Amino acid sequence: MRAFVTFLGCKVNQYETELIIEQLEHAGIVVSSQPVNVDICIVNTCMVTNEAARQSRQLLRKLRRMNPDGLVIATGCYPHLDALAIKGCGVDLVLGNREKKELIKHINEWFQNREQKVMISQPDYEISEQVNSFLADRVRAYVKVQDGCDEYCTYCIVPLARGRKIRSKPAEVVIQEVRNLVDSGYKEIVLTGVNLGRYGRDTDTSLARLVRRLLNEVVGDFRIRLSSINVQDISGELIELFKNNEKLCPHLHVPIQSGSNKILKAMNRSYTVEQALALFERLRSIDPFFSITTDIIVGFPEETIGDFEETLALVEEVMFSRVHAFKYSDRPNTPASRMSHKVPPGEKDRRMKLLREIAEKVAVDYRTASVGKIRTVLVEMNKDGVSYGYDQYYIRHEFVSLSTNVLTRVVVKKPNGAGVVSQVVDLEKSLAG
């Protein structure tokens, strides 16, 4: 029996997709990289924006057309929002996030009965699962350490699918999982969660303590990167870990969402622009090149031109190394969806274009400032003698090398597209010169 598995959305979904793949392989099902001539198609869906939901539906319909007699399964977050819409895409099994953990049971039952079913439980399950081999990315592994979000952002429906209860994976389980992945050859471990900064709130510990233990207790040639974390959850204890610790990448993805305090308040974000700036200044005091990437929502209800201009000013002041921009879209039953003074679609398009232009200019300036600097790159791919990979600051490098899956020292030569061109160097000779 053959299966095709894919996902949309965040790194948590990517991690959980690997768990799905492992379940299938342990059951003797061959996982194919192509969605043709397979018996089972599984889509780990996303619904955080209207566009993500549309793409999920589109993909499910496409897989049904390509495999008219196969089993098509939709799981992930979208079923928690609108199971009927998913079911209408020709899906045989609609499963919630909790049901992912018993996927093989649901598959076996379907092949016995051939009954279309919707099974969606409350997303309040504990997390203790481990990935043993991260198939989708041979050099970088994502480790989910936390689930659930107890924030009340007015635009967000993630808690609907993930629950408001914070659930943290036990530290001992995380440490063993990371140790296994490092022993298997993975050079970069990315800790991720639905609200990563809240790790440990339910078990009287913290993200900083978990990271410290990983740095101290896991032996090997690897580095740790943290995924998305909110301003208010970046503690002084966590910031201190970035000092003089080469195994912890000096990069944080901090979703600022807006540069206007008025809009942040309307979003019910738990910080001000001033607090964010103070945090960023502290990070850059540790390392002037500390990489800060971010998310920004364009065209939130009641966002004036002045509010938007404050966001543009913030982007330029902080010098984000990358900005992920999203046009605001109403999500069902959220407070923001009931707000008045919606920004017209055309104006959102205009603002999005302008933000992207300024964000790209700032990112180029950030990369240009690294020219002549030595960076450590994880070599992820080699094609025709040219290697590609990301450094500790999450900047993409292109350079001549024959190695892969190694951490290599390079010197930055010049910006190039969305990354930089570099050259492999001997670190000691470079420093001496």
Side-chain angles (χ1 to χ4, degrees), residues 1 21-30 104-105 107-108:
M1 190 173 292
I21 290 172
E22 287 196 354
Q23 286 185 63
L24 295 171
E25 292 187 330
H26 290 161
I29 299 172
V30 176
I104 300 303
K105 182 188 80 169
I107 289 174
N108 290 337

Side-chain angles (χ1 to χ4, degrees), residues 21 50 58 97 102 116 118 135 149 183 201 219 226 238 246 269 278 283 293 296 315 322 331 333 336 387-388 406 433:
I21 290 172
N50 279 333
Q58 182 183 56
N97 278 314
E102 297 184 320
Q116 187 181 43
V118 175
L135 303 174
C149 183
D183 289 345
R201 295 287 179 92
V219 178
L226 304 182
L238 183 61
E246 290 189 357
R269 301 290 285 177
L283 292 171
T293 54
I296 289 177
V315 170
R322 183 176 299 177
R331 308 311 290 134
N333 301 316
S387 291
Y388 304 89
V406 294

Side-chain angles (χ1 to χ4, degrees), residues 25-27 74 108 121 125 133 136 173 205 260 285 314 340 370-371 393 403 410 424:
E25 292 187 330
H26 290 161
N108 290 337
S121 302
Y125 53 90
S133 60
V173 176
T205 185
S260 162
S285 71
L314 179 68
S340 58
S370 69
V371 171
Y393 298 96
S403 302
V410 303
V424 176

Side-chain angles (χ1 to χ4, degrees), residues 41-234:
C41 293
I42 303 172
V43 178
N44 202 3
T45 63
C46 179
M47 51 68 172
V48 69
T49 64
N50 279 333
E51 179 60 17
R54 185 194 67 79
Q55 290 177 356
S56 295
R57 296 191 304 270
Q58 182 183 56
L59 180 55
L60 288 164
R61 292 191 186 102
K62 179 180 179 180
L63 292 174
R64 169 50 74 204
R65 289 194 301 270
M66 296 174 70
N67 301 276
D69 299 320
L71 166 60
V72 177
I73 301 174
T75 186
C77 292
Y78 197 174
H80 291 267
L81 174 67
D82 195 341
L84 291 180
I86 288 288
K87 187 177 179 182
C89 296
V91 174
D92 299 299
L93 292 179
V94 181
L95 306 176
N97 278 314
R98 186 171 194 158
E99 282 67 31
K100 289 177 187 175
K101 299 164 76 78
E102 297 184 320
L103 187 65
I104 300 303
K105 182 188 80 169
H106 297 303
I107 289 174
N108 290 337
E109 289 177 354
W110 186 87
F111 277 107
Q112 290 174 4
N113 304 317
R114 305 272 174 167
E115 291 183 17
Q116 187 181 43
K117 284 188 177 181
V118 175
M119 288 166 280
I120 303 171
S121 302
Q122 289 297 317
D124 57 356
Y125 53 90
E126 301 304 314
I127 59 170
S128 59
E129 64 273 10
Q130 297 184 50
V131 164
N132 296 309
S133 60
F134 210 85
L135 303 174
D137 191 338
R138 295 290 179 181
V139 298
R140 178 180 293 107
Y142 298 97
V143 175
K144 174 186 167 185
V145 302
Q146 180 274 338
D147 210 333
C149 183
D150 57 358
E151 301 278 6
Y152 287 84
C153 299
T154 57
Y155 54 84
C156 187
I157 55 174
V158 168
L160 174 69
R162 293 291 177 173
R164 293 202 179 277
K165 178 184 176 183
I166 298 296
R167 289 102 66 201
S168 302
K169 186 181 291 185
E172 297 299 334
V173 176
V174 176
I175 292 167
Q176 187 58 53
E177 183 173 13
V178 171
R179 186 177 287 126
N180 291 343
L181 290 166
V182 171
D183 289 345
S184 297
Y186 294 95
K187 301 297 183 183
E188 182 171 303
I189 307 298
V190 183
L191 301 185
T192 188
V194 172
N195 193 341
L196 178 64
R198 297 298 170 94
Y199 176 86
R201 295 287 179 92
D202 54 326
T203 56
D204 195 29
T205 185
S206 68
L207 179 63
R209 292 175 211 166
L210 173 66
V211 173
R212 182 184 291 108
R213 288 195 60 185
L214 289 170
L215 293 170
N216 292 336
E217 298 179 30
V218 180
V219 178
D221 183 25
F222 73 102
R223 65 191 186 192
I224 294 174
R225 191 182 303 277
L226 304 182
S227 66
S228 183
I229 182 168
N230 287 317
V231 170
Q232 66 271 24
D233 294 324
I234 302 174

